[in-house]
Amino acid sequence: MSIYFDNASTTKPCREAIEAVNRGLSELWGNPSSLHSMGVKAQLAVDEARKIIADSIGCESRCIYFTSGATESSNMAIKGSAMAYGKRKKRIVTSSVEHSSVKESINELEKSGFEVVRISPDKNGIFNPDDFINAVDENTCLVSVMLVNNETGYILPVRKIFSAVKRKFPDVVTHCDCVQGFMKIPVKTRELNADLISLSGHKIHSAKGVGALYIKKGIRLIPVINGGKQENGIRSGTESVPLIMGFGASVKALNPHIEGHYRYVSELKKYLCSRLSELDDITINSNPDASPYIINISVSGIRSEIMLHWLESHEIYVSSGSACSKGAKSGVLDEFGLSQKLADSALRISLDFSDTKEEIDKFIDVLKEGQQKILKSK
Ligand code: PLP
């Protein structure tokens, strides 16, 4: 039996999503832009999914725009708002621990003349909302801060930051990458005070290749993708009806269980941490208030890749860092204050509500055996 503890990289599609994707492929394969009834049926299916996702974050359907995933959503949000609002206002404020999709989008803007302020956590790895607020001035067009860090599970104080920024400078656009928070902790547009929110399907048991961008009414984006004016002209290209239907189906299936799953996964995390404390030379790098879904640990003296492959040889799957970077170091753990040694031996265990204590027991046994065998062979 394999054990999959890499749910922050991607998740197993749920039955509801698979059934919806199949129905989209086999029955509703018309083009939503067609004027005949096959097109209308496909469009209705897209709009049904749009409403489910809109309801789940507390906004109107027309504020949800489907994309190919959160990477595209964040590119659209950041570049599109900079093009719309950044003619005179040239400052962007962000955190130093963003996912590459946000970080690289902002880096591109920096190359074209934007001034970027990247806020780091303090020496204990804690972000102070005031650091963001103080960095925002009348020259700022955009503030982009993620909700849950994908490598450590750290929950950034987005609500506090965005609310204070909006009070001081109501015209500043706020963007939040909510990928690792969506369907795990509450993500509500009102509470976050976000103008733009990036979401991904495959992190919540849908298919890969689908995501969404929430755009608050009144926020203007210059489209990054031009063409047939689908999605209200903001994201051209024929909509992937099956994947969008699958995305809607998994949100519908998960949304009623967010709290129950959170409680269950919190228990699992507690159990995992107590079992880890029985082993020697393990450091838990995630802070105690982090999302229970992501636990970053270091195994002293053993490089991440070596332990990852040892675990893999026992059909246990974890990540060495951010899966999107194919093992390349992102520098995020250094930002959180980890020494080089700890960062080099870091593993990310990311849980799901379908995981069990028995799986954790097996993981601990294999980890312990790995520690002994790998260190002995050195
Ligand atoms: N943002 C965060 C925090 C992520 O963890 C990821 C994927 O790992 C992404 C964005 C990118 O999402 P997608 O794969 O849908 O482009």
Side-chain angles (χ1 to χ4, degrees), residues 24-37:
L25 284 170
S26 56
E27 295 172 30
L28 296 168
W29 48 267
N31 187 326
S33 297
S34 296
L35 295 179
H36 51 68
S37 61

Side-chain angles (χ1 to χ4, degrees), residues 1-5 264-279 292-293 295 297 311 316 318 349-368:
M1 178 198 65
S2 68
I3 296 176
Y4 186 74
F5 284 165
Y264 176 73
V265 174
S266 297
E267 275 304 308
L268 276 187
K269 177 190 173 180
K270 227 163 95 200
Y271 184 68
L272 170 64
C273 291
S274 91
R275 295 283 343 254
L276 284 169
S277 70
E278 296 167 14
L279 306 186
Y293 285 86
I295 302 107
I297 66 168
L311 292 166
I316 297 174
V318 301
I349 300 150
S350 45
L351 299 173
D352 182 59
F353 55 83
S354 60
D355 296 330
T356 62
K357 287 187 177 171
E358 290 69 35
E359 288 178 327
I360 289 175
D361 288 336
K362 170 91 192 289
F363 166 71
I364 294 288
D365 289 346
V366 175
L367 186 69
K368 191 173 173 184

